[in-house]
Amino acid sequence: MRGTFIIACGLLVAGILIGCAEQQPPQTEAVARPVKTMLIAGADATGVRSFPARIAAAARADLAFRVPGTVQELPIKEGDPVKQGDLVARLDPTDYQIVVDDRQATFDKAQKNFGRGKELVSSGAISRSDFDRLEAEFKNARAGLSTATQDLAYTELRAPFEGMIASRLVDRFEEVQAKQPIAVIQNVEMLEVKFDVPESIIRSIRGRGAKESAAARDRVKVFATFQDQPGREYPLTYKEVSTKADAKTQTFEATYLMKQWEDGTVLPGMTASVTVDLAGYVDSAIAFTVPVSAVVGDFKLDPQVWTVDEASMTVSPQPVKVGRLVGDGIEVLEGLKPGARVVTAGTAFLVEGMPVILMPELEQASPRPDDLKYQL
């Protein structure tokens, strides 16, 4: 009975194995994986860069009294044109005039005593030390009168240059303190156009001597455009570039000058777009910025990115040399060329030769066309 049971089990197992051997494995087709990608812009290789810019007044000043007091006159309004020397505001001068009168009386007395002392010391009627005391009192009184007279003059606030009142910060009869801003004046005949240059561009500009760099700046074509003025370019003149990066954005502020429009008005605070042609002044080795998620490590932990062959719609790894982190991105110094399409999400699930499908552009995390100027 026991032997019959063992034989039956053996036959059952053999039948199962034979059945499994006869079954063929299911045929599976490779499924294309949707991926998010970004296109490395080819326009970067031309050396032409575009930046959002802001307009500021070339000449601007916050006007304030040097002495405290009550505002007695305020003949200005916002937007008023003023000439150099025009009255902007005046404080009540009563208290300061009283001080001047008091210091004048003290000065007159000290001056007379000093004059008599000169005659007396010559005849020996007073000692030399008494004469020195009279002289010191005279000089102190003269300095006190000069200070009081100057304070009285400071009760008038006048325009330091020709321009326009941008804002008025106080009203008449208001009590103000010394150095408290009263009004802002600015000249809009010459404007400053300011824009931020990424550090990657600063590093890509070939090094030159100070004289050669200054001459090169004058040859670089820089112009501004405005959204409501299509097709019009306004030339800019170099003024300065900061040599210290902003701590938050790691960019360097560049400032150019632009003359006021003859057929319109550009005011501080408005925005523009600046185009700079750096062809011939940047290194051929161009650094591109890609999202941090696009760079992964291979089996040796060396950095690589996954690129898409748009002809076969398959992916392959591409070794790269990376640089610094820039915001949410990382610089790729070597290994990429303009026109390459890089996978920015889902890289952990890719294998070489895997077919992929590009996700719709509206769903991609890649920058908008206007933002490609930042990818260097």
Side-chain angles (χ1 to χ4, degrees), residues 287-311:
F288 301 94
T289 302
V290 299
V292 175
S293 59
V295 180
V296 295
D298 60 10
F299 69 96
K300 295 182 180 180
L301 298 182
D302 293 329
Q304 66 177 18
V305 298
W306 287 89
T307 59
V308 178
D309 183 350
E310 297 190 53

Side-chain angles (χ1 to χ4, degrees), residues 97-376:
Q97 185 62 58
I98 293 174
V99 175
V100 169
D101 295 341
D102 178 70
R103 298 287 175 82
Q104 183 68 57
T106 302
F107 171 76
D108 292 342
K109 179 182 177 181
Q111 187 179 35
K112 292 177 181 179
N113 289 339
F114 179 59
R116 286 192 293 266
K118 285 182 178 181
E119 299 176 357
L120 294 175
V121 73
S122 298
S123 62
I126 62 174
S127 65
R128 189 67 190 182
S129 61
D130 289 337
F131 175 74
D132 291 342
R133 177 177 53 80
L134 294 174
E135 183 180 17
E137 290 176 353
F138 165 71
K139 291 181 178 180
N140 287 337
R142 184 175 60 185
L145 177 60
S146 178
T147 300
T149 303
Q150 190 62 65
D151 286 346
L152 179 61
Y154 285 153
T155 59
E156 290 187 352
L157 188 61
R158 297 187 177 274
F161 53 81
E162 183 177 357
M164 178 185 298
I165 301 299
S167 59
R168 190 183 68 178
L169 306 177
V170 298
D171 293 319
R172 286 187 62 191
F173 311 117
E174 187 173 335
E175 191 77 18
V176 297
Q177 301 299 318
K179 301 181 180 180
Q180 176 183 341
I182 302 300
V184 178
I185 182 176
Q186 57 189 15
N187 189 318
V188 295
E189 294 303 315
M190 183 64 70
L191 300 166
E192 289 183 344
V193 182
K194 297 177 177 289
F195 55 96
D196 299 323
V197 181
E199 63 178 42
S200 55
I201 292 183
I202 298 295
R203 285 198 303 273
S204 68
I205 298 177
R206 291 197 294 265
R208 293 176 171 84
K211 294 183 179 179
E212 188 178 354
S213 296
R217 286 196 298 262
D218 296 334
R219 295 195 299 268
V220 172
K221 183 180 179 181
V222 183
F223 59 87
T225 57
F226 295 84
Q227 187 174 6
D228 58 347
Q229 299 286 326
R232 300 189 62 178
E233 299 177 353
Y234 298 88
L236 305 180
T237 304
Y238 173 82
K239 181 180 180 181
E240 60 186 5
V241 174
S242 172
T243 56
K244 182 179 180 180
D246 183 270
K248 295 182 179 179
T249 62
Q250 288 299 303
T251 57
F252 297 80
E253 185 180 70
T255 304
Y256 279 72
L257 298 177
M258 182 185 74
K259 293 182 179 180
Q260 181 62 261
W261 292 353
E262 295 181 357
D263 55 351
T265 301
V266 181
L267 296 177
M270 292 183 176
T271 58
S273 178
V274 171
T275 300
V276 183
D277 187 357
L278 293 174
Y281 297 94
V282 295
D283 286 329
S284 57
I286 302 173
F288 301 94
T289 302
V290 299
V292 175
S293 59
V295 180
V296 295
D298 60 10
F299 69 96
K300 295 182 180 180
L301 298 182
D302 293 329
Q304 66 177 18
V305 298
W306 287 89
T307 59
V308 178
D309 183 350
E310 297 190 53
S312 62
M313 291 306 295
T314 58
V315 293
S316 60
Q318 175 62 45
V320 294
K321 178 182 179 181
V322 296
R324 300 183 181 183
L325 291 172
V326 181
D328 295 332
I330 185 170
E331 291 181 343
V332 177
L333 306 178
E334 296 179 5
L336 285 181
K337 295 182 179 180
R341 184 170 291 278
V342 176
V343 178
T344 60
T347 54
F349 304 99
L350 301 179
V351 294
E352 186 171 2
M354 174 182 286
V356 294
I357 299 175
L358 302 185
M359 295 184 68
E361 294 291 336
L362 293 178
E363 299 182 17
Q364 290 192 17
S366 59
R368 298 171 297 180
D370 291 342
D371 295 332
L372 291 178
K373 56 190 172 231
Y374 295 113
Q375 303 196 7
L376 304 168

Side-chain angles (χ1 to χ4, degrees), residues 15-30:
I16 294 175
L17 292 176
I18 293 173
C20 292
E22 292 177 352
Q23 294 181 359
Q24 298 295 328
Q27 298 293 329
T28 59
E29 297 182 357

